[in-house]
Amino acid sequence: MASFIERMYLYRVLVLSVFLSITQAVDRSNFKTCDQSAFCSRQRAMKPGQTSYTALLETLELSDSHLTVQLLNNNNKVLLLLELYRLQGNMTRVKINELKPIKPRYEVPDVLITDPPTELMSVVAQDEHRVVLSLGGEDWRLILSAQPFRLDIMEGPQVLLSLNSRGLLAFEQLRIRKDTKSQTDTEEAGEKEDTEKHDKEKVSEGEEEAEEEVDQPGMWEETFKTHADTKPNGPSSISLDFSLPGVEHVYGIPEHADGLRLKNTDGGDPYRLYNLDVFQYELFNPMALYGAVPVLLSHNTHRTMGLFWLNAAETWVDVSSGQGSSEVPQTDVRWISESGIIDVFIMLGPRPNDVFTQYSSLTGTQAFPPLSSLAYHQCRWNYNDQEDVSAVDQGFDEHDIPYDFIWLDIEHTDGKRYFTWDNNKFPQPKDMLQGLLDKRRKMVTIVDPHIKVDSSYKIHTEIRSRGYYIKNKDGGDYEGWCWPGNAGYPDFTNPEMRKWWASMFAYDQYEGSMENLYTWNDMNEPSVFNGPEVTMHKDALHGPWEHRDIHNLYGFYVQMATAEGQIQRSGGLERPFVLTRAFFAGSQRYGAVWTGDNAAEWGHLKMSIPMCLSLGLVGISFCGADVGGFFKTPSAELLVRWYQAGAYQPFFRAHAHLDTPRREPWLFGPDNTALIREAVRQRYTLLPYWYLQFYHAQRTGQPVMRPLWVEYPEDIATFSIDNEFLIGRDLLVHPVTDERSSGVTAYLPGTGEVWYDVHTFQRHDGAQNLSIPVTMSSIPVFQRGGSIICRKNRVRRSSSCMENDPYTLYVALDSQGKAEGEIYIDDGHTFKHKTDKQFIHRRLSFTANSLSSSDLSPDSQFPTASWVEQVNILGAQKPDAVTLTTTDGGESSVEFAFDPDTAVLTLRKPGVNAGVNWTLHLR
Amino acid sequence: MSCALLLLLTSLALAMGTGTAVEIQRPRGVPQSKRQFYEENKPFTCLDGSSTIPFDRVNDDYCDCKDGSDEPGTAACPNGSFHCTNAGFRPAFIPSSRINDGICDCCDTTDEYNSGATCQNTCREMGRKERESLQIMAEITKEGFLLKQQLIHEAKRGQEDKRGKLTELKGSKKGLEGKVEALRTVKETAEDPEKEAKERHLKSWEEQKELIRMEKDKTRMAEAFLELDDDADGYVSVAELQSHLELDPDSDGSLTETETQGLLGGEGKVDTSTFETVWSGIKDKYLSEGLLDPPAPVETPQEEESRDFVSDHDSDHYPEDYAGEEEDVEDDDEEDDDHDEEEEEKVPPTVQTPEKREDDELSMPPYDTETQSLIDAAQKARDDFDEAERALREVDDQMKNLEKEIGFDFGPSAEFAYLYSQCYELSTSEYIYRLCPFNRVSQKPKFGGSETNLGLWGQWAGPEENLYSVMKYDHGQGCWQGPNRSTTVKLTCGKETVVTSTSEPSRCEYLMEFTTPAVCQEPASLDEVLHGHTEL
């Protein structure tokens, strides 16, 4: 009886809690606040004040490449070693480690693409209090002060940045646990634990005066909810503060569901960087999400700088803006990490572009994606079976909506065993893929890093027998719950493991795969349903290192190994396409990311803009949010608006939760179908422009989707804007993100700049707020005067079908009647642009009434069938005649039409090949 | 350069059914019906009239007309369409964006004239296959339509039967109603004397019982008097009575002298005759000393009492009630009926237990023969009445069901009537799906587990012109974080009545395909079917 009643009660509680968890958004109690994280609360309790470190200048050594000096902790006499590097490209690297740690501390490998090249540093002046070093140039200086220890980077008399100016440097040295007796006692008699702990505390209190350092709670073990974190290495956290005088605006440190500009964290929690699978995340808060890039940018009208804190452990970042001394605004930033070393790259700009160049010289640039991956992706958890895939594919053709990729979520597998297919639902995967290939379309299947523990599953048995699984603290294979039930987690930090994983994507290994099948890595934070904070126990082991040390790197490695597998399967010929949810600094080298499990709410649509802008600032350009929202069901209006916004964001994929009704674009009546079709078509016409932006991103590290301030760094009005953005330099987008909106106000930046509405060609002056009335079909987009954008206006059912199609040029004249642009063409999918220099890169330039195409890369070549079918000159005057001159000396007359209402001059069918030199003269 | 496309006039040798060949010239992508608008060497006016262009700009791979009509054979216009003749199969229009996109769309390959795609002309093959399938379909339709006629006929007959039955039932209902009324009178007439006789019997029994009780009481009083009169002086004194704490009027645990005196009517002691009045005041509380006496005494009666209580609690009805609740929670509505019966069976014995004990001593004597015969007569009248009433109810139910069935929308000619109260199953790898038309759809796992309701009959839900092609079942079992399950059943013409497929295109929204002759349309002649689709 009783047991029955208990059962019923439990059942009700369960039902109730499930109910609660779906009506509220995120269950915050599943995730730690700083107070609940022992090292964070310990470090944060330290207040700005007298530093306890002294730089021992007598230990200073200067070599060609760097300077070293010992730092003394005045309280416990522990010595640290400071290394200073002047790096090429106007960067400074600061490393601090223990001089003699009792065991090595983790230093993040594989993220830097190379050992950053150094430049000569020289001592300019030195006395017993300080050393002044030259950072090059006339007046760039680095001042190292001894007592208290601090570093100041100066330009002339101006302090650009100071380290440890608030004295928050704290470096918990590794130590032997003092009270080992009580530890064994605790292990032996669990029940006595509490009392013994009390006793111990009492003893400790009594000894406080005598002993230098007292163990604080949470140093040697920590419990969160029901999860214990044994800490065999004890406390190991690090912290350092930076002051940025003259700075009011700081950005970056994604991933957070928050505005573009970072907020003051005084009185709240710091921004947290700890890759986590957060169920139904909340907007506008500093909680950690799926990915972490520890890079912060500062910006004011004079200078843009960056801080790259190279540490993969759980990290918290405090941001505090206010008045510094002498009423100058100042921003203080403080980084706290749980383990590892201090390794900071200070990128000194001075322009936004310089910071991007500096950062990408460290961690690499965005991988150049296959052209088709910039087109539209259709996803759903789940497309049920082959017939379903074929029906959806058919649906796009019937409704004349283009798409390039259809995606299969976890249900396509045999019991969530990745690299396999459900035999009933997908009996002939190759037939299915061939069917897509016949339409020049592609597919993505999901491959997650949790591996079902099942002795009849080859992937599992191989990983187990090769010892590639992450180990638990006791040395056994770590196991946790995820989609397949009990699962193991391969140790992707092991290069041997990654090599093996990559080999699994070979066509003969991944059965049913073909060259038009690509990959999606989800759940790679890693997500562990029954783990602390839904992730892995920190005391799990990756070889000699704890999971604590490497946590934020796990997803980075998963995508790295997967992308490598895709490259290898084609013999190194084809570019990979891999989408990841978790990421770290450098993840841009391996593919695309998305903003995870968002929701069908207007707030989430709005949030997609700052989230992707923040990622772009720290190198990750290929970003998108689930169009329509993953959880919940969008209204037709929200869905349409999301397509319109998504069509102008880098990664353009619709996705939906299993429990939501179907939402393929044609299910909301003919009007909405037409609106969605139009948005997707606009994306396809602009694919040449998108491709060019990614070509640039790969070469220079510039973000594709940019905040306005990146291009208008002196226009203060742009500094906090995150409801509109630029694609490259030339397109300004202000998506409609409000329900039943009748108008938006877009800020058009740039004094003297001219902007053209891309739909009406109406001309507007820069440096103004423009009210734009909108209807359901409106997507406010403007082309910058002075730019030339190439489109392909013949939208076909997939981007591959448009390969040989002609271009239409949109020449938007600036106030001087000039414009410039570029065109980039290659095969769209191989590395031959790199290996064989097979590409076309040309400059298009309009000046003195002539539009000409000239080669930017004469030593490369690529045969293209594309030609120029039309040229539209915006802001033009009517000419008397137009002639075309080609390199072979031919000259012909070109017909034209001029619309005086819009001042658009349309040149009819110049007909020249897109890969040759030509000039069009207006007379 | 691929853009330099000449105006291509297609020469089409079009095979007519008769075998004669006629040569027509028209620009690529133009259907026969619009040929007259494209006159060679004459200026072309866009079909929307928006502008006029030289004829050499038709199909020159540049879009001049807003309506796309100048480029019927190229992909230049975003809104153009291309006509494939598809000789041997069905002609078709495709969006002009599919011209030369490397994908073969027209079976006659004419859409891929400059893409490098190698397309095979599959029109004849497709035509043959289509004719074959049309033929099969036509045969099915034909046979199906015959079956449908039969179904209509049967439905009509069934409907008539039902109407006839209804009329019949209405008639018998009237008869039954009369009978019920008559029997009610008989019953009431028989019950009056029965009631009187019973009351009489009862009254005399009550009187008798009262006498017995008085007698018993007297005996008990005498015994009590003897018990109380400890010194056997023929009087019960205050002191003697005071030991009986149970008589304490204010139940404060002590029986004071004053209180005891009060019990004795103010006297210090009473004799047998006065004790009679005292007895009537204390007899309800009085406990015999014989029971109080034994050494471990005081609690004995209580113990007995509590044992009673415990056994009551333990053995039967309490747990039974709980068990009942348990079932209630688990099985909810499904087993309600069973459960009620069980409860009725199990509860009565325990309820009777305390009564039985008194009845041991005081059970009512049987009725005398006269009364018994009155009772028997009344009982018979009651039984007759009940039976007549039951019969009337049955007729009522039958009528209701019939009316419901007659009222159902079984299609324009009631051709779907035969599906009523039938069920059809389809077994898949995991589940058995069950469609009971006009009732419900359900799903049961093959390997254990309970049935899930996928929807109850809602309505016909086809498009306006074909309402009876789709059935909608809704308000099925709820889904977690989702809607209630629902099922759409698509009906297609077939000789047999079968569920052919099921799927769940969206979470908890099921789709079922169902063939039945009832939707077979009157077949057009086969020739019409085969040739009505071609342009030729």
Side-chain angles (χ1 to χ4, degrees), chain A residues 249-513:
Chain A
H249 292 82
V250 288
Y251 307 93
I253 52 170
E255 183 177 16
H256 300 100
D258 205 354
L260 174 65
R261 182 190 176 184
L262 296 177
K263 295 191 179 79
N264 232 314
T265 58
D266 298 340
D269 252 19
Y271 283 99
R272 189 181 189 205
L273 294 173
Y274 190 58
N275 294 355
L276 291 174
D277 177 4
V278 180
F279 180 77
Q280 295 192 347
Y281 59 77
E282 261 178 46
L283 305 182
F284 299 109
N285 81 48
M287 283 173 74
L289 287 180
Y290 314 93
V293 184
V295 175
L296 179 136
L297 271 64
S298 72
H299 177 72
N300 61 25
T301 51
H302 307 300
R303 179 177 296 277
T304 310
M305 294 191 292
L307 287 173
F308 172 27
W309 175 266
L310 180 49
N311 188 300
E314 180 184 344
T315 296
W316 299 78
V317 187
D318 260 319
V319 174
S320 174
S321 294
Q323 302 292 312
S325 54
S326 70
E327 309 246 316
V328 180
Q330 173 166 322
T331 297
D332 295 315
V333 180
R334 179 191 191 180
W335 300 75
I336 302 168
S337 290
E338 188 176 12
S339 68
I341 64 161
I342 292 173
D343 192 358
V344 196
F345 296 81
I346 300 157
M347 300 170 279
L348 294 168
R351 310 289 293 170
N353 291 357
D354 297 320
V355 176
F356 301 136
T357 304
Q358 287 154 2
Y359 178 63
S360 57
S361 76
L362 299 172
T363 66
T365 59
Q366 178 67 52
F368 191 31
L371 172 58
S372 55
S373 66
L374 296 173
Y376 174 63
H377 300 259
Q378 180 66 33
C379 187
R380 172 176 183 83
W381 175 21
N382 216 100
Y383 285 121
N384 299 328
D385 48 32
Q386 277 178 234
E387 290 70 44
D388 199 1
V389 168
S390 150
V392 171
D393 178 71
Q394 203 62 42
F396 276 92
D397 285 346
E398 271 161 31
H399 298 91
D400 202 16
I401 301 171
Y403 89 94
D404 270 60
F405 281 80
I406 187 164
W407 293 51
L408 295 180
D409 209 321
I410 52 176
E411 311 298 333
H412 84 278
T413 59
D414 172 16
K416 319 297 187 293
R417 293 171 185 86
Y418 305 104
F419 300 101
T420 71
W421 303 84
D422 182 310
N423 266 330
N424 289 318
K425 299 171 183 164
F426 297 91
Q428 303 294 343
K430 281 195 176 176
D431 288 358
M432 173 176 64
L433 287 165
Q434 186 60 50
L436 293 170
L437 195 61
D438 290 345
K439 291 208 187 154
R440 309 180 75 174
R441 286 173 176 151
K442 300 169 172 68
M443 175 171 264
V444 167
T445 49
I446 198 165
V447 177
D448 288 351
H450 50 257
I451 302 299
K452 186 176 177 71
V453 173
D454 168 6
S455 56
S456 60
Y457 175 32
K458 189 188 82 177
I459 298 285
H460 163 72
T461 52
E462 286 261 320
I463 295 174
R464 172 161 282 182
S465 67
R466 289 163 187 261
Y468 285 161
Y469 276 126
I470 295 169
K471 304 287 184 272
N472 60 36
K473 65 179 164 55
D474 304 315
D477 285 348
Y478 180 92
E479 287 179 3
W481 281 87
C482 209
W483 297 125
N486 205 21
Y489 292 77
D491 184 0
F492 282 89
T493 67
N494 176 354
E496 289 297 311
M497 158 59 206
R498 293 201 299 274
K499 208 171 144 194
W500 176 85
W501 178 266
S503 73
M504 289 299 103
F505 289 89
Y507 296 122
D508 59 349
Q509 290 292 327
Y510 187 170
E511 280 177 41
S513 69

Side-chain angles (χ1 to χ4, degrees), chain A residues 93 106-116 308 310-312 343 345 359-365 491-499 542 545 550 552-561 584-590:
Chain A
R93 182 180 193 178
Y106 189 70
E107 298 189 34
V108 175
D110 300 316
V111 167
L112 300 179
I113 49 172
T114 164
D115 201 9
F308 172 27
L310 180 49
N311 188 300
D343 192 358
F345 296 81
Y359 178 63
S360 57
S361 76
L362 299 172
T363 66
T365 59
D491 184 0
F492 282 89
T493 67
N494 176 354
E496 289 297 311
M497 158 59 206
R498 293 201 299 274
K499 208 171 144 194
H542 302 252
W545 302 110
I550 70 95
N552 285 346
L553 270 182
Y554 189 76
F556 163 92
Y557 277 128
V558 172
Q559 193 189 18
M560 176 197 272
F584 189 68
S587 285
Q588 67 269 17
R589 309 200 296 265
Y590 306 112

